[in-house]
Amino acid sequence: MKGYTTRDVAGLLGLTEGQIRSYARAGFITPSRGPHNEYQFDFQDLVLLRTAAALVRARVPNRKIARALATLRDELPTGRSLTELRITAVGEDIVVSDGGAPWEPESGQFHIDFNVGDFATTVEPLARGVAARAEGAPGERSAHEWYALAIELEAVSTVEAARAYMQAIAMEPSHADARVNLGRLFHEDGRLTDAEEQYRAALDSSESPFAAYNLGLILEDRREIIEAISAYERALAADDTLADAHFNLARLYESTGDARSAIRHFNAYRLLTQRRPGRR
């Protein structure tokens, strides 16, 4: 969900609106268009713009910036928060690291270093404004759009993200993905009963492997071993490629003395993890 305006982004990054539009025209970013054909940006766009601004100040040629940022955009992880990343640039390499092996999108001569998590903290007040605008006109968004906005807000404000997930659920109580993500936020905040309620509600409307797996984690934390095994097995019935579910079942079956089941799940875990491609 792209909810940041050109004015929002310019004020945040200390750029003019003209510079933001010129970066978009140069292909550094690919913002969407709003109902009045205005640019709209998401958090990934902000990360790319923050990098682009530094490269422009370092007098890197536009063609090299566009190429580097296109590669960086393709390499940024999907399906999880960008706030774990640190982006540095020395010599001719952009180096992106998330605590594991770094990868290096192509670039030109420059030097930058910024932590995306710290940048997210800077963006948080802006995200609150976007959320407030959305809540001021709740009927203008569908449940799916509230869900997409919540995913975007997770990068900078879990409180606002939770509220957006609740809006999605209020409009569509059977929205399993919104319930799973809201449950995860509750889970991370230590609100296990609230998280369990969301996971179980998600499972009432969908055989979500993630709802079942996360429910298993809560049950395991409570030492409800038999119930946790059932939840993990339910997760694998929906998606048998969940390596962590196989690993957790191997541990739990071993603790109950079921060696055959433990070995079966450990072998499945090992096979799945051996197949995972390494990051460049």
Side-chain angles (χ1 to χ4, degrees), residues 45-86:
D45 292 328
L46 300 190
V47 171
L48 293 169
L49 276 168
R50 167 68 173 76
T51 306
L55 303 186
V56 169
R57 285 193 295 270
R59 301 176 185 249
V60 176
N62 280 0
R63 62 180 178 77
K64 290 188 176 181
I65 296 175
R67 187 169 64 235
L69 293 180
T71 308
L72 176 58
R73 182 173 55 245
D74 291 342
E75 294 289 343
L76 288 175
T78 58
R80 63 183 177 84
S81 172
L82 300 179
T83 57
E84 304 167 12
L85 301 180
R86 186 177 193 89

Coordinates of all heavy atoms in Angstrom, one line a residue, residues 45-86:
D45 N 10.2 2.4 -1.3 CA 10.5 3.6 -2.1 C 11.3 4.6 -1.3 O 12.3 5.2 -1.8 CB 9.3 4.3 -2.6 CG 8.5 3.5 -3.6 OD1 9.1 2.7 -4.3 OD2 7.2 3.6 -3.6
L46 N 11.0 4.8 0.0 CA 11.7 5.7 0.9 C 13.2 5.2 1.1 O 14.1 6.0 1.1 CB 11.0 5.9 2.2 CG 9.6 6.4 2.2 CD1 9.2 6.7 3.7 CD2 9.5 7.6 1.3
V47 N 13.3 3.9 1.3 CA 14.7 3.4 1.4 C 15.5 3.6 0.2 O 16.7 4.1 0.2 CB 14.6 1.9 1.7 CG1 16.0 1.2 1.7 CG2 14.0 1.6 3.1
L48 N 14.9 3.4 -1.0 CA 15.6 3.6 -2.3 C 15.9 5.1 -2.5 O 17.0 5.5 -3.0 CB 14.8 3.0 -3.4 CG 14.6 1.5 -3.4 CD1 13.6 1.1 -4.4 CD2 16.0 0.8 -3.7
L49 N 14.9 5.9 -2.1 CA 15.2 7.4 -2.3 C 16.2 7.9 -1.4 O 17.0 8.7 -1.8 CB 13.8 8.1 -2.0 CG 12.9 8.3 -3.2 CD1 11.5 8.8 -2.7 CD2 13.4 9.2 -4.3
R50 N 16.3 7.3 -0.2 CA 17.3 7.7 0.8 C 18.7 7.4 0.2 O 19.7 8.1 0.3 CB 17.1 7.0 2.1 CG 18.2 7.1 3.1 CD 18.5 8.4 3.7 NE 19.5 8.4 4.7 CZ 20.8 8.3 4.6 NH1 21.3 8.1 3.3 NH2 21.6 8.2 5.6
T51 N 18.8 6.2 -0.4 CA 20.0 5.8 -1.0 C 20.3 6.6 -2.2 O 21.5 7.1 -2.4 CB 19.9 4.3 -1.4 OG1 19.6 3.5 -0.3 CG2 21.3 3.8 -2.0
A52 N 19.3 6.9 -3.1 CA 19.5 7.7 -4.3 C 20.0 9.1 -3.9 O 20.9 9.6 -4.6 CB 18.2 7.8 -5.1
A53 N 19.4 9.7 -2.9 CA 19.8 11.1 -2.5 C 21.3 11.1 -2.2 O 22.0 12.1 -2.5 CB 19.0 11.6 -1.4
A54 N 21.8 10.1 -1.4 CA 23.2 10.0 -1.0 C 24.1 9.9 -2.3 O 25.1 10.5 -2.4 CB 23.4 8.9 -0.1
L55 N 23.6 9.1 -3.2 CA 24.4 8.9 -4.4 C 24.5 10.1 -5.3 O 25.5 10.4 -5.9 CB 23.9 7.7 -5.2 CG 23.8 6.3 -4.5 CD1 23.3 5.3 -5.5 CD2 25.0 6.0 -3.8
V56 N 23.4 10.8 -5.4 CA 23.4 12.1 -6.1 C 24.3 13.1 -5.5 O 25.1 13.8 -6.2 CB 21.9 12.6 -6.2 CG1 21.9 14.1 -6.8 CG2 21.1 11.8 -7.1
R57 N 24.3 13.2 -4.2 CA 25.2 14.1 -3.5 C 26.7 13.7 -3.7 O 27.5 14.6 -3.7 CB 24.9 14.2 -2.0 CG 23.6 14.9 -1.6 CD 23.5 15.2 -0.2 NE 23.4 14.0 0.6 CZ 22.2 13.4 0.9 NH1 21.1 14.0 0.5 NH2 22.2 12.3 1.7
A58 N 26.9 12.4 -3.9 CA 28.3 12.0 -4.2 C 28.6 12.1 -5.7 O 29.7 11.6 -6.1 CB 28.4 10.5 -3.7
R59 N 27.7 12.7 -6.5 CA 28.0 13.0 -7.9 C 28.2 11.7 -8.7 O 28.9 11.6 -9.7 CB 29.2 13.9 -8.1 CG 29.1 15.2 -7.4 CD 30.3 16.0 -7.5 NE 30.1 17.3 -6.8 CZ 30.0 18.5 -7.3 NH1 30.0 18.6 -8.6 NH2 29.9 19.5 -6.6
V60 N 27.4 10.6 -8.3 CA 27.4 9.4 -9.1 C 26.6 9.6 -10.3 O 25.5 10.2 -10.2 CB 26.9 8.2 -8.3 CG1 26.8 7.0 -9.1 CG2 27.8 8.0 -7.1
P61 N 27.0 9.3 -11.5 CA 26.2 9.5 -12.7 C 24.8 8.8 -12.6 O 24.7 7.7 -12.1 CB 27.0 8.8 -13.9 CG 28.4 8.9 -13.3 CD 28.3 8.7 -11.9
N62 N 23.8 9.5 -13.2 CA 22.4 9.0 -13.1 C 22.3 7.6 -13.6 O 21.5 6.7 -13.0 CB 21.5 9.9 -13.8 CG 21.1 11.1 -13.0 OD1 21.6 11.3 -11.9 ND2 20.3 12.0 -13.6
R63 N 22.9 7.2 -14.7 CA 22.8 5.9 -15.3 C 23.3 4.8 -14.3 O 22.7 3.7 -14.2 CB 23.5 5.8 -16.6 CG 25.0 6.0 -16.6 CD 25.6 5.9 -18.0 NE 27.0 6.2 -17.9 CZ 27.9 5.3 -17.5 NH1 27.5 4.1 -17.1 NH2 29.2 5.6 -17.5
K64 N 24.4 5.1 -13.6 CA 24.9 4.2 -12.6 C 24.0 4.1 -11.4 O 23.8 3.0 -10.8 CB 26.3 4.6 -12.2 CG 27.3 4.4 -13.3 CD 28.7 4.6 -12.7 CE 29.8 4.4 -13.8 NZ 31.2 4.5 -13.3
I65 N 23.4 5.2 -11.0 CA 22.5 5.2 -9.8 C 21.2 4.3 -10.2 O 20.8 3.5 -9.4 CB 22.0 6.6 -9.5 CG1 23.2 7.4 -9.0 CG2 21.0 6.5 -8.4 CD1 22.9 8.9 -8.7
A66 N 20.7 4.6 -11.4 CA 19.5 3.9 -11.8 C 19.8 2.4 -11.9 O 18.9 1.5 -11.4 CB 19.0 4.4 -13.2
R67 N 20.9 2.0 -12.4 CA 21.3 0.6 -12.5 C 21.5 -0.1 -11.1 O 21.0 -1.2 -10.8 CB 22.5 0.4 -13.3 CG 22.9 -1.1 -13.6 CD 24.0 -1.2 -14.7 NE 25.2 -0.6 -14.2 CZ 25.9 0.3 -14.8 NH1 25.5 0.8 -16.0 NH2 27.1 0.7 -14.3
A68 N 22.2 0.7 -10.2 CA 22.4 0.2 -8.9 C 21.1 0.0 -8.1 O 20.9 -1.0 -7.4 CB 23.4 1.1 -8.1
L69 N 20.2 1.0 -8.2 CA 19.0 1.0 -7.4 C 18.0 -0.1 -8.0 O 17.3 -0.7 -7.2 CB 18.3 2.3 -7.4 CG 19.1 3.4 -6.6 CD1 18.3 4.7 -6.7 CD2 19.3 3.0 -5.2
A70 N 18.1 -0.3 -9.3 CA 17.2 -1.4 -9.9 C 17.7 -2.7 -9.3 O 16.8 -3.6 -9.0 CB 17.3 -1.3 -11.4
T71 N 19.0 -2.9 -9.2 CA 19.5 -4.2 -8.7 C 19.2 -4.3 -7.2 O 18.8 -5.3 -6.7 CB 21.0 -4.3 -8.9 OG1 21.3 -4.1 -10.3 CG2 21.5 -5.6 -8.5
L72 N 19.4 -3.2 -6.5 CA 19.1 -3.2 -5.0 C 17.6 -3.5 -4.8 O 17.3 -4.3 -3.9 CB 19.4 -1.8 -4.5 CG 19.1 -1.6 -3.0 CD1 19.7 -2.6 -2.1 CD2 19.5 -0.1 -2.5
R73 N 16.7 -2.9 -5.6 CA 15.3 -3.1 -5.4 C 15.0 -4.6 -5.6 O 14.2 -5.2 -4.9 CB 14.5 -2.3 -6.4 CG 13.0 -2.4 -6.3 CD 12.2 -1.4 -7.2 NE 12.7 -1.5 -8.6 CZ 13.3 -0.6 -9.3 NH1 13.6 0.6 -8.7 NH2 13.6 -0.7 -10.5
D74 N 15.6 -5.2 -6.6 CA 15.3 -6.6 -6.9 C 15.9 -7.5 -5.7 O 15.4 -8.6 -5.5 CB 16.0 -7.1 -8.2 CG 15.3 -6.4 -9.4 OD1 14.2 -6.0 -9.3 OD2 15.9 -6.4 -10.5
E75 N 17.0 -7.1 -5.1 CA 17.6 -7.9 -4.1 C 17.0 -7.7 -2.7 O 17.2 -8.5 -1.8 CB 19.1 -7.5 -4.0 CG 19.9 -7.9 -5.2 CD 20.1 -9.4 -5.4 OE1 19.9 -10.1 -4.4 OE2 20.4 -9.8 -6.5
L76 N 16.2 -6.6 -2.4 CA 15.6 -6.4 -1.1 C 14.7 -7.6 -0.8 O 13.9 -8.0 -1.7 CB 14.9 -5.1 -1.1 CG 15.8 -3.8 -1.0 CD1 14.9 -2.6 -1.1 CD2 16.7 -3.8 0.2
P77 N 14.7 -8.1 0.4 CA 13.9 -9.2 0.8 C 12.4 -8.9 0.7 O 12.0 -7.8 1.0 CB 14.4 -9.6 2.2 CG 14.9 -8.3 2.7 CD 15.5 -7.6 1.6
T78 N 11.6 -9.9 0.3 CA 10.2 -9.8 0.3 C 9.6 -10.7 1.4 O 10.2 -11.6 1.9 CB 9.6 -10.2 -1.0 OG1 10.0 -11.5 -1.3 CG2 10.1 -9.3 -2.1
G79 N 8.4 -10.3 1.9 CA 7.7 -11.1 2.9 C 8.2 -10.9 4.3 O 7.8 -11.6 5.2
R80 N 9.1 -9.9 4.5 CA 9.5 -9.6 5.9 C 9.9 -8.2 6.0 O 10.1 -7.5 5.0 CB 10.6 -10.6 6.4 CG 11.9 -10.5 5.7 CD 12.9 -11.5 6.2 NE 14.1 -11.5 5.5 CZ 15.1 -10.7 5.7 NH1 15.0 -9.8 6.6 NH2 16.2 -10.8 5.0
S81 N 10.1 -7.7 7.2 CA 10.5 -6.3 7.4 C 11.8 -6.0 6.8 O 12.8 -6.8 6.9 CB 10.4 -6.0 8.9 OG 10.9 -4.7 9.2
L82 N 12.0 -4.7 6.3 CA 13.3 -4.3 5.8 C 14.1 -3.7 7.0 O 15.2 -3.3 6.8 CB 13.1 -3.2 4.8 CG 12.3 -3.6 3.5 CD1 12.2 -2.3 2.6 CD2 13.0 -4.7 2.8
T83 N 13.5 -3.5 8.2 CA 14.2 -2.8 9.2 C 15.4 -3.5 9.8 O 16.2 -3.0 10.5 CB 13.2 -2.5 10.4 OG1 12.7 -3.8 10.9 CG2 12.1 -1.6 10.0
E84 N 15.6 -4.8 9.4 CA 16.8 -5.5 9.8 C 18.0 -5.2 9.0 O 19.2 -5.5 9.3 CB 16.6 -7.0 9.7 CG 15.3 -7.5 10.5 CD 15.0 -9.0 10.0 OE1 15.8 -9.6 9.4 OE2 13.9 -9.4 10.4
L85 N 17.8 -4.5 7.9 CA 18.9 -4.2 6.9 C 19.8 -3.1 7.3 O 19.4 -2.1 7.9 CB 18.3 -4.0 5.6 CG 17.4 -5.1 4.9 CD1 16.9 -4.6 3.6 CD2 18.2 -6.4 4.9
R86 N 21.0 -3.2 6.9 CA 22.0 -2.1 6.9 C 22.6 -1.9 5.5 O 23.0 -2.9 4.9 CB 23.1 -2.3 7.9 CG 24.1 -1.1 8.1 CD 25.1 -1.4 9.1 NE 25.8 -0.2 9.5 CZ 25.4 0.7 10.4 NH1 24.3 0.4 11.1 NH2 26.1 1.8 10.7

